[in-house]
Amino acid sequence: MSVQHVSLAWNGRPVEIEIAWILPELSTAPVMVFLHEGLGSVAMWKDFPQRLCQALGWRGLVYSRPGYGRSTPRPVSETWGPDFMHRQARELLPALLQALGLSGPEAPPLWLFGHSDGGSITLLHASGASPSLSGAIVLAPHILVEDISVRSIEVARQAYESGPLRAGLARYHDDPDSAFWGWNRIWLDPAFRDWNITAELAHIHCPVLAVQGLDDEYGTLEQIRGIARQAPQTQLLELPGCGHSPHRDQPEALIAAVQAFVKQQPLRPA
């Protein structure tokens, strides 16, 4: 992947968004946009986006949200509110897609592929998207806050403060404190315990593949089964021997499932 930067305005200031194109020579192919987890970045996807796009014969776009990877770090004084994923889905992502020519009637077929917080952002974008979105694939998304999520995020805080997590994240983020504390503090904020996007899922009209590992340490199967109740066009994939990151724990099974799923769908939404 060749890393570049795109300039946008965000939170009243200019930011540089790290992006990487996959198979850019496939100029007329559908595009899969990858949205990373709460501590993720372009580099933390490793080779999975490349493998998936090669299997599909599609282009791919991977990007790091502000505060992550090689994008502009979060200012120390900036704290996130309970609407932080809504803002990413309905403000930042549309601005990025527009800047890259991936929105509007002349744009190629567009799919979103989101993991964890990126999966929630994907669902929120799809719930308010125009009919141009062809489909969405979400891995271990959050649609509500569960006790298991909070417990695991508390463990992550301990690992960051006194364990090896900070050093590990420093390999992937210019400012690991920006990435970690932006995510960790809002998830552990008592005001976030009531965050719930279940009702908004009924407004999703595109095809959805929702994937979760049976050993996910950050959420129960209610996180994806709740999507299917609200958006009945959703297909579920529940993977044994798999934790919170299906693309790392079960990449072959996931790629095969995505290939089968997208073949069932029209190239463009009706």
Side-chain angles (χ1 to χ4, degrees):
M1 293 188 293
S2 175
V3 175
Q4 308 166 31
H5 285 84
V6 175
S7 299
L8 294 177
W10 175 245
N11 271 355
R13 60 189 175 93
V15 295
E16 295 292 312
I17 304 296
E18 176 190 27
I19 70 166
W21 287 104
I22 300 166
L23 302 179
E25 65 275 13
L26 302 179
S27 58
T28 61
V31 176
M32 185 76 82
V33 179
F34 293 83
L35 292 87
H36 63 74
E37 62 188 297
L39 293 178
S41 68
V42 167
M44 285 186 72
W45 283 104
K46 299 190 176 177
D47 68 344
F48 181 82
Q50 182 83 25
R51 291 175 62 188
L52 179 61
C53 288
Q54 286 176 333
L56 295 174
W58 290 8
R59 279 192 292 163
L61 175 73
V62 190
Y63 75 100
S64 297
R65 298 192 293 274
Y68 294 93
R70 312 304 173 205
S71 293
T72 301
R74 175 184 58 86
V76 174
S77 60
E78 180 181 291
T79 58
W80 296 349
D83 65 343
F84 80 99
M85 286 188 273
H86 285 76
R87 296 196 61 212
Q88 291 287 333
R90 297 179 180 171
E91 297 174 18
L92 185 82
L93 179 57
L96 179 64
L97 295 176
Q98 183 176 20
L100 295 173
L102 296 178
S103 62
E106 303 303 318
L110 184 72
W111 283 69
L112 301 183
F113 187 106
H115 174 221
S116 193
D117 282 14
S120 304
I121 294 167
T122 293
L123 293 170
L124 286 165
H125 182 82
S127 73
S130 69
S132 62
L133 186 63
S134 296
I137 297 159
V138 292
L139 314 182
H142 306 286
I143 65 171
L144 73 165
V145 179
E146 296 181 297
D147 289 343
I148 187 175
S149 308
V150 174
R151 287 195 299 269
S152 292
I153 291 168
E154 288 173 340
V155 170
R157 180 181 62 188
Q158 295 166 12
Y160 192 80
E161 291 177 330
S162 58
L165 182 56
R166 189 181 190 280
L169 291 176
R171 298 197 299 269
Y172 300 102
H173 303 281
D174 283 345
D175 186 339
D177 289 342
S178 165
F180 183 82
W181 291 118
W183 166 79
N184 190 264
R185 284 175 177 148
I186 184 55
W187 267 96
L188 295 183
D189 188 328
F192 195 64
R193 290 305 297 263
D194 294 330
W195 179 87
N196 187 312
I197 64 170
T198 303
E200 294 171 74
L201 304 177
H203 300 289
I204 297 175
H205 301 295
C206 69
V208 178
L209 175 64
V211 184
Q212 188 150 349
L214 297 183
D215 303 317
D216 192 334
E217 65 275 27
Y218 282 91
T220 71
L221 288 171
E222 174 59 24
Q223 299 286 358
I224 62 169
R225 292 176 180 176
I227 301 170
R229 286 197 297 272
Q230 294 294 99
Q233 75 277 20
T234 301
Q235 290 189 25
L236 301 183
L237 176 61
E238 300 172 5
L239 289 171
C242 182
H244 189 59
S245 301
H247 59 295
R248 290 194 281 269
D249 294 347
Q250 296 282 358
E252 292 83 7
L254 179 58
I255 289 171
V258 172
Q259 285 181 291
F261 182 71
V262 301
K263 285 179 181 178
Q264 300 169 18
Q265 314 306 331
L267 183 61
R268 290 186 181 273

